[in-house]
Amino acid sequence: MDNHTHPFEPFIDKNSKILILGTFPSIKSFEDNFYYAHPQNQFWKLLSAVFDEIVPKTIEEKKIFLKNQSMNVQKTSRSAFTTDLLLQPDFHIMGTS
């Protein structure tokens, strides 16, 4: 198994209720140093439509968007399952019941 290092830290806000786990980022995300940066990626457009918000463009706008929607974004790894947030009874992972 190859060992790769994720280029940037997870976006974690202690008050968030939703955790979005992603896989390894695209080259564009590496370059921009934030999640889902490739222009063909529909992540920000989809979430903006779901929450009836303007699509965030800058990293700062994306962080504000995530915080306003009570969302965290993190790569998939074992460490994602050791955060204290997952121990909170009102914390939900998108795509689960």
Side-chain angles (χ1 to χ4, degrees), residues 51-84:
F51 292 105
D52 196 28
E53 297 283 343
I54 295 171
V55 178
K57 302 290 184 199
T58 67
I59 291 173
E60 190 59 32
E61 288 174 355
K62 291 172 183 178
K63 288 180 178 181
I64 291 168
F65 178 91
L66 291 169
K67 189 171 183 174
N68 288 343
Q69 302 308 328
S70 298
M71 295 178 155
N72 292 327
V73 180
Q74 186 169 346
K75 65 178 179 157
T76 53
S77 71
R78 184 175 173 89
S79 65
F81 298 102
T82 62
T83 64
D84 291 340

